[in-house]
């Protein structure tokens, strides 16, 4: 099964019942696969007129009470930015998959890259926090899609899956466990008096319960700065309160959201930081370096955003240096540098896009830099 | 100049009488209700409301025919009519 | 001598009070703005149809008309500029039990959102789309829109609009809408009746409402609100089933109002269920 198909299967396993899509290489197969599967499980697939509409329809379906998603690649990701902002501001759970390809513009439609990582973080206007995951195999994208849905439901926010053309089109063995072995979460529903319900009054984890349209709560949902009731509130205080809460609900739950995988970090002097497809390169490079007697370790970011900066900060105190491996010209590298804060040298093994990075390039950098 | 609108249900309301209620503080003084009341019984009052507009007032409520036109043309939900108690009609 | 005017401090008795978020009234619309009347007609229609209001939602885009969603005491969604229709599409597909009404302006629905409009009509999404057409961008201070008459003055066409406007009912008809009507805010009863009909009818319904924007469009084109309403009365003609080609908005000639399209074809959802949900 390809990574794209595994993603679609993961979505179905998570309980996704709505997919609003628009064809784009190399993400099309996700739409194709799920469009054939959704009707049978009572879900709905619609191919919208563009990615702007696709993302808008995903938000609409989420407010109708459905788990909903879309999938796209670079140019479509750019078009979705507007309504990702609306999703964040209105705290709408949904999942968006970006099967990255070479850019900018139309770039390399059929060839992979990891060059939208900063766009994932900052692409919609204004300040915000976002959750983004990066799978490194077809099997992992299956599970990550479920995790993405769970996180989006738990934190009432859009969650991004930042995969790439290589994983999307690569065929690998994928084991789909029986449904009773898959943990799926659903947004908490409000209780108590409907007329007193406040759409944005957070519960203990910083997240407010969410009714669906038609539940009788007479909710108002707006992309304008709003108060707890959801009413537009044009003031510095309201802006500060809303923004702070949007930020806090993600950052205060960092420990729950941030997932990393550590390989031979304990005694490592050089730490390779990577994610997605490049983590396969990095794993191989780390093993080869060890075979050569170099104390290399590998930190794989499963959650890319929010960034695992405490982890890097802690490592920076004791390691000789970091090497970030990613198919772009230095994006997560900048984050590693920020977290390392000049204490430890940071190097990049990047690439303009279109192919994977070979372990040799990483090894060469290790030898050159240390 | 006078604007005439014959209400849809003019035959039915010919016999009815209405009482007009004005929520003065909602009025923004557009004058639509005044201009288009088929009985021309509304006029700007000399009072100011909270926002500084002159809300309308009824010149003669006895001839309000309860056609609701003022109510449905008002952009502000500021005026409406209800049927007058029966004994007052006729 | 004036008879005693009945005034009410308590607002609860306006017949639409239960449908408006009174805590947000007065609304932001300027004195004489036509949106309030169109909105009020829409609420009357929603209420009058005897449908379950709990399952009724309003979706708006951005602009003066886009604020409508913020004043209706039902599930209401104020989305991004131009995207009310695709958002509403997701909402309706997500829960087909909902009655979804899109209430927005001409700039929102036909310039930035034009693509979404024609596609929703083409696929016959079960939505009721109400467009308050005030011939310009009011919220941003009166710029030219896709509906601004040729040679009309706006802040971006101070010498007169060099372009020509859309004929909205023609566009809706050509795109496949199954219900199309046009009224002005003066024709409130007809408007209300048509909205009510559109809500209870399945399929894509489109109602254009001509309403004044006295503050921006009116002022620059020397039209006082009452004069605009006078045009609505004197320069309009009601012709149901008129040829959509004859529906240009040109007040130098007569502007045709009425119910232009009322037909039946399978909705997007019906067609999807029939085509895609084949028994295994
Ligand atoms: S209901 Fe209003 S418009 Fe109709 S007659 Fe009475 S005051 Fe005039
Ligand atoms: S129509 Fe409404 S807002 Fe306008 S003058 Fe009459 S009461 Fe006031
Ligand atoms: S600017 Fe124009 S459209 Fe906007 S509220 Fe004022 S009058 Fe209405």
């Amino acid at each position: 099964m390809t990574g794209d198909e595994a993603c679609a299967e993961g979505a179905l396993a998570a309980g996704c019942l709505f997919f609003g899509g628009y064809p784009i290489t190399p993400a099309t197969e996700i739409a194709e696969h799920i469009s054939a599967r959704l009707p049978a499980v009572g879900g709905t697939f619609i191919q919208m007129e563009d990615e702007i509409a696709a993302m808008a329809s995903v938000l609409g379906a989420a407010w109708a009470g459905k788990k909903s998603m879309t999938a796209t690649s670079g140019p479509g990701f750019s078009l979705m930015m507007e309504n990702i902002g609306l999703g964040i501001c209105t705290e709408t759970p949904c999942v968006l998959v970006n099967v990255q390809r070479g850019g900018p513009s139309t770039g390399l439609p059929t060839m992979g890259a990891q060059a939208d990582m900063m766009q994932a973080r900052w692409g919609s206007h204004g300040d915000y926090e976002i959750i983004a995951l990066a799978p490194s195999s077809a099997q992992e994208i299956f599970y990550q899609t479920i995790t993405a849905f769970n996180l989006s439901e738990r934190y009432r926010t859009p969650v991004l899956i930042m995969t790439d053309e290589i994983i999307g089109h690569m065929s690998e063995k994928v084991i789909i466990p029986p449904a009773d072995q898959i943990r799926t979460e659903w947004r908490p529903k409000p209780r108590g008096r409907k007329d007193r319900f406040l759409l944005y009054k957070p519960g203990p984890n910083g997240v407010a319960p969410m009714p669906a349209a038609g539940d009788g709560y007479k909710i108002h949902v707006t992309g304008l700065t709003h108060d707890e009731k959801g009413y537009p509130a044009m003031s510095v205080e309201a802006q500060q309160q809303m923004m702070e809460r949007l930020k806090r609900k993600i950052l205060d739950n960092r420990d729950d959201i941030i997932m990393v995988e550590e390989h031979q970090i304990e005694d490592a002097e050089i730490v390779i930081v990577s994610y997605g497809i490049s983590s396969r390169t990095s794993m191989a490079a780390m093993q080869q370096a060890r075979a050569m007697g170099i104390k290399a370790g590998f930190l794989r970011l499963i959650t890319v955003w929010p960034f695992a900066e405490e982890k890097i900060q802690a490592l920076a105190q004791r390691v000789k240096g970091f090497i970030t491996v990613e198919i772009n010209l230095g994006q997560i590298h900048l984050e590693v540098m920020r977290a390392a804060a000049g204490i430890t040298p940071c190097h990049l093994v990047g690439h303009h896009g279109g192919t994977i990075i070979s372990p040799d390039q990483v090894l060469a950098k290790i030898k050159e830099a240390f | 100049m006078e604007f005439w609108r014959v209400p849809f249900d003019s035959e039915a309301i010919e016999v009815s009488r209405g009482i007009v209620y004005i929520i003065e503080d909602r009025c923004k003084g557009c004058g639509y209700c005044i201009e288009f009341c088929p009985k021309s019984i509304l006029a700007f009052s000399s009072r100011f409301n909270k926002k500084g507009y002159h809300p309308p007032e009824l010149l003669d409520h006895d001839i309000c025919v309860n056609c609701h036109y003022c109510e449905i043309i008002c952009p502000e939900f500021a005026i409406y009519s209800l049927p007058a108690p029966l004994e007052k009609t006729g | 001598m004036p008879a005693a005017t009945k005034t009410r401090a308590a607002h609860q008795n306006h017949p639409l009070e239960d449908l408006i978020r009174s805590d947000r009234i007065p609304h932001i619309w300027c004195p004489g703005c036509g949106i309030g009347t169109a909105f009020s007609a829409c609420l009357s229609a929603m209420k009058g149809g005897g449908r379950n209001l709990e399952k009724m939602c309003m979706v708006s885009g951005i602009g003066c008309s886009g604020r409508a969603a913020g004043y209706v005491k039902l599930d209401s969604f104020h989305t991004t500029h131009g995207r009310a229709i695709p958002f509403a599409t997701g909402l309706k597909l997500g829960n087909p039990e909902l009655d979804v009404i899109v209430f927005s302006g001409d700039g929102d629905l036909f310039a930035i959102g034009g693509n979404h409009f024609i596609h929703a009509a083409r696929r016959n999404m079960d939505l009721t789309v109400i467009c308050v057409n005030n011939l310009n961008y009011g919220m941003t201070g009166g710029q030219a829109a896709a509906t601004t008459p040729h040679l009309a003055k706006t802040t971006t066409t101070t010498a007169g609009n060099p372009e020509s406007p859309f004929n909205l009912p023609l566009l809706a008809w050509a795109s496949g809408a199954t219900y199309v009507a046009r009224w002005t805010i003066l024709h409130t009863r007809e408007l209300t009746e048509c909205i009510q009909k559109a809500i209870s009818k399945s399929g894509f319904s489109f109602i254009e409402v001509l309403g004044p924007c006295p503050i921006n469009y009116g002022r620059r084109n020397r039209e006082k609100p009452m004069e605009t309403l006078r045009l609505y009365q004197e320069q309009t003609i009601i012709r149901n089933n008129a040829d959509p080609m004859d529906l240009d908005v040109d007040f130098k000639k007569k502007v045709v109002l009425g119910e232009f399209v009322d037909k039946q074809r399978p909705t997007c959802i019906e067609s999807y269920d029939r085509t895609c949900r084949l028994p295994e």
Side-chain angles (χ1 to χ4, degrees):
Chain A
M1 173 179 295
T2 65
D4 280 352
E5 287 162 355
C7 174
E9 285 300 324
L12 292 164
C16 172
L17 284 178
F18 181 86
F19 189 105
Y22 188 82
I24 188 167
T25 305
T28 306
E29 292 85 349
I30 301 177
E32 286 174 343
H33 194 78
I34 208 165
S35 70
R37 295 269 279 116
L38 272 174
V41 298
T44 303
F45 169 88
I46 187 166
Q47 185 170 314
M48 296 298 284
E49 51 275 12
D50 56 31
E51 286 93 345
I52 299 171
M55 190 62 212
S57 72
V58 165
L59 299 181
W63 281 101
K66 296 291 188 293
K67 287 189 179 177
S68 64
M69 77 177 297
T70 187
T72 189
S73 187
F77 196 50
S78 293
L79 289 185
M80 287 181 182
M81 283 301 155
E82 172 189 59
N83 285 318
I84 291 174
L86 181 64
I88 290 163
C89 187
T90 56
E91 304 186 48
T92 307
C94 58
V95 171
L96 192 165
V97 185
N98 179 356
V99 188
Q100 296 172 86
R101 65 193 221 187
S105 189
T106 312
L108 296 172
T110 58
M111 298 162 89
Q114 296 180 296
D116 304 344
M117 301 310 296
M118 278 296 174
Q119 188 185 16
R121 176 65 187 88
W122 296 112
S124 198
H125 55 277
D127 272 318
Y128 58 90
E129 293 297 329
I130 189 101
I131 301 176
L133 310 179
S136 62
S137 68
Q139 180 70 66
E140 193 181 18
I141 197 170
F142 172 83
Y143 280 116
Q144 255 186 32
T145 307
I146 298 167
T147 307
F149 272 105
N150 287 345
L151 288 171
S152 81
E153 296 284 316
R154 197 181 311 156
Y155 296 110
R156 250 186 87 174
T157 191
V159 173
L160 310 178
I161 299 176
M162 300 298 289
T163 179
D164 60 79
E165 184 276 333
I166 302 147
I167 294 169
H169 283 165
M170 186 167 54
S171 272
E172 288 185 297
K173 188 175 171 188
V174 176
I175 296 165
I176 297 179
D180 60 5
Q181 285 172 30
I182 292 171
R183 197 178 55 87
T184 55
E185 283 181 43
W186 302 87
R187 62 201 75 166
K189 286 274 179 188
R191 277 173 251 200
R193 280 182 57 169
K194 291 187 176 179
D195 57 340
R196 298 234 181 105
F197 172 67
L198 297 171
L199 188 56
Y200 296 102
K201 190 175 165 50
N205 69 342
V207 187
M210 177 175 166
D215 283 354
Y217 287 86
K218 299 179 183 175
I219 50 175
H220 181 58
V221 177
T222 177
L224 285 167
T225 296
H226 44 262
D227 57 22
E228 283 190 336
K229 208 168 175 182
Y231 284 6
M234 300 298 106
S235 73
V236 177
E237 295 73 30
Q239 171 77 356
Q240 193 241 337
Q241 268 172 29
M242 183 187 84
M243 295 279 295
E244 202 51 33
R245 209 170 53 68
L246 288 178
K247 188 173 110 185
R248 294 265 66 97
K249 80 170 178 182
I250 306 294
L251 294 187
D252 289 352
N253 293 298
R254 298 167 63 79
D255 291 347
D256 181 47
I257 299 169
I258 297 178
M259 296 167 283
V260 298
E261 212 174 77
E262 297 176 0
H263 299 277
Q264 309 204 26
I265 289 288
E266 307 73 31
D267 64 339
E269 293 176 346
I270 296 160
V271 171
I272 304 170
V273 181
S274 193
Y275 55 92
I277 188 67
S278 295
S279 41
R280 292 179 159 205
T281 303
S282 305
M283 190 67 170
M286 188 270 288
Q287 284 161 350
Q288 287 170 28
R290 283 275 169 179
M292 291 159 66
I294 301 169
K295 285 193 172 170
F298 171 37
L299 179 71
R300 180 163 86 92
L301 307 175
I302 298 171
T303 305
V304 177
W305 303 117
F307 184 66
E309 58 188 75
E310 283 95 344
K311 195 95 224 160
I312 301 288
Q313 274 161 9
L315 286 170
Q317 305 298 326
R318 64 169 178 85
V319 303
K320 279 198 200 150
F322 293 103
I323 296 181
T324 304
V325 182
E326 51 184 348
I327 311 173
N328 61 50
L329 300 182
Q331 295 192 12
I332 295 303
H333 170 57
L334 296 176
E335 284 295 289
V336 176
M337 278 172 55
R338 184 175 64 80
I343 300 171
T344 312
C346 298
H347 300 274
L348 168 71
V349 178
H351 194 287
H352 299 88
T355 186
I356 53 169
I357 297 169
S358 83
D360 291 348
Q361 289 167 276
V362 183
L363 279 175
K365 178 60 90 181
I366 292 176
K367 286 182 197 154
E368 174 201 319
F370 303 103
Chain B
M1 116 163 245
E2 176 113 336
F3 295 107
W4 252 99
R5 293 200 40 80
V6 181
F8 261 24
D9 38 4
S10 55
E11 275 166 35
I13 59 157
E14 212 72 85
V15 291
S16 64
R17 286 285 177 270
I19 300 175
V20 177
Y21 294 92
I22 297 162
I23 305 165
E24 293 199 350
D25 282 335
R26 283 186 178 176
C27 172
K28 289 183 191 162
C30 69
Y32 292 167
C33 57
I34 297 169
E35 195 72 37
F36 295 105
C37 165
K39 293 287 171 195
S40 302
I41 51 168
L42 294 167
F44 283 119
S45 67
S46 51
R47 287 188 300 283
F48 287 101
N49 69 6
K50 263 194 217 146
K51 286 182 295 211
Y53 297 109
H54 293 289
E57 65 183 4
L58 206 63
L59 294 177
D60 185 350
H61 74 256
D62 275 351
I63 56 168
C64 167
V65 294
N66 196 31
C67 72
H68 299 287
Y69 196 73
C70 52
E71 173 184 318
I72 62 180
I73 193 78
C74 175
E76 304 291 335
F77 306 97
I79 184 167
Y80 61 97
S81 66
L82 290 177
L86 266 180
E87 59 270 25
K88 285 208 170 175
T89 63
Chain C
M1 106 146 244
T5 307
K6 303 271 179 181
T7 63
R8 286 261 162 128
H11 296 169
Q12 294 84 284
N13 295 317
H14 189 285
L16 294 173
E17 206 64 36
D18 53 338
L19 271 188
I20 55 180
R21 296 190 192 268
S22 337
D23 47 349
R24 300 204 61 226
I25 298 288
H27 51 59
I28 63 160
W29 299 315
C30 310
C33 175
I35 300 169
T37 304
F39 178 59
S40 165
C42 183
L43 296 188
S44 302
M46 291 162 99
K47 193 169 168 167
R51 297 176 76 87
N52 182 358
L53 290 171
E54 212 160 83
K55 299 287 175 201
M56 209 175 268
C57 322
M58 186 182 277
V59 183
S60 292
I62 298 294
C64 294
S65 304
R67 292 302 184 96
Y71 301 118
V72 60
K73 206 153 98 195
L74 294 175
D75 290 327
S76 51
F77 302 89
H78 177 224
T79 64
T80 39
H81 197 15
R83 318 308 171 205
I85 288 179
F87 185 99
T89 297
L91 198 59
K92 178 73 187 178
L93 291 173
N95 181 359
E97 271 186 25
L98 301 172
D99 283 327
V100 183
I101 293 143
V102 173
F103 189 104
S104 217
D106 51 299
D108 187 71
L109 289 167
F110 290 100
I112 188 165
N115 196 30
H116 309 309
F117 180 90
I118 58 173
H119 284 277
R122 173 184 61 78
R123 54 173 77 98
N124 202 21
M125 263 319 299
D126 198 352
L127 304 173
T128 300
V129 178
I130 297 160
C131 172
V132 180
N133 181 2
N134 56 23
L135 312 179
N136 80 140
Y137 285 88
M139 178 70 87
T140 45
Q143 294 76 32
T147 46
T148 304
H150 182 51
L151 299 181
K153 296 212 166 45
T154 71
T155 61
T156 48
T157 59
T158 47
N161 182 20
E163 301 178 14
S164 299
F166 270 136
N167 167 345
L168 299 180
L170 174 64
L171 185 65
W173 168 79
S175 308
T178 50
Y179 185 84
V180 182
R182 172 198 278 156
W183 296 104
T184 79
I185 59 150
L186 199 65
H187 300 78
T188 321
R189 286 189 206 279
E190 295 89 332
L191 173 63
T192 306
E193 237 188 30
C194 283
I195 298 176
Q196 198 164 308
K197 190 163 166 185
I199 294 171
S200 51
K201 193 179 153 70
S202 62
F204 189 87
S205 302
F206 171 61
I207 294 162
E208 176 184 10
V209 191
L210 294 167
C213 166
I215 297 305
N216 285 309
Y217 187 83
R219 196 157 51 89
R220 290 194 183 84
N221 292 282
R222 294 204 212 93
E223 257 179 55
K224 297 219 164 62
M226 217 55 92
E227 290 165 354
T228 310
L229 266 61
R230 193 165 300 159
L231 282 178
Y232 291 170
Q233 183 167 49
E234 293 175 346
Q235 286 301 96
T236 59
I237 177 167
I238 299 175
R239 266 203 346 253
N240 291 329
N241 304 312
D243 183 341
M245 296 290 283
D246 299 336
L247 302 177
D248 285 317
V249 174
D250 180 357
F251 283 104
K252 287 188 210 74
K253 299 182 264 168
K254 293 264 184 191
V255 172
V256 182
L257 310 176
E259 198 179 55
F260 309 125
V261 178
D262 184 2
K263 61 179 181 194
Q264 216 67 47
R265 68 184 178 99
T267 65
C268 181
I269 293 175
E270 288 164 357
S271 193
Y272 183 81
D273 288 348
R274 201 174 303 160
T275 316
C276 306
R277 291 192 212 281
L278 295 172
E280 295 284 298

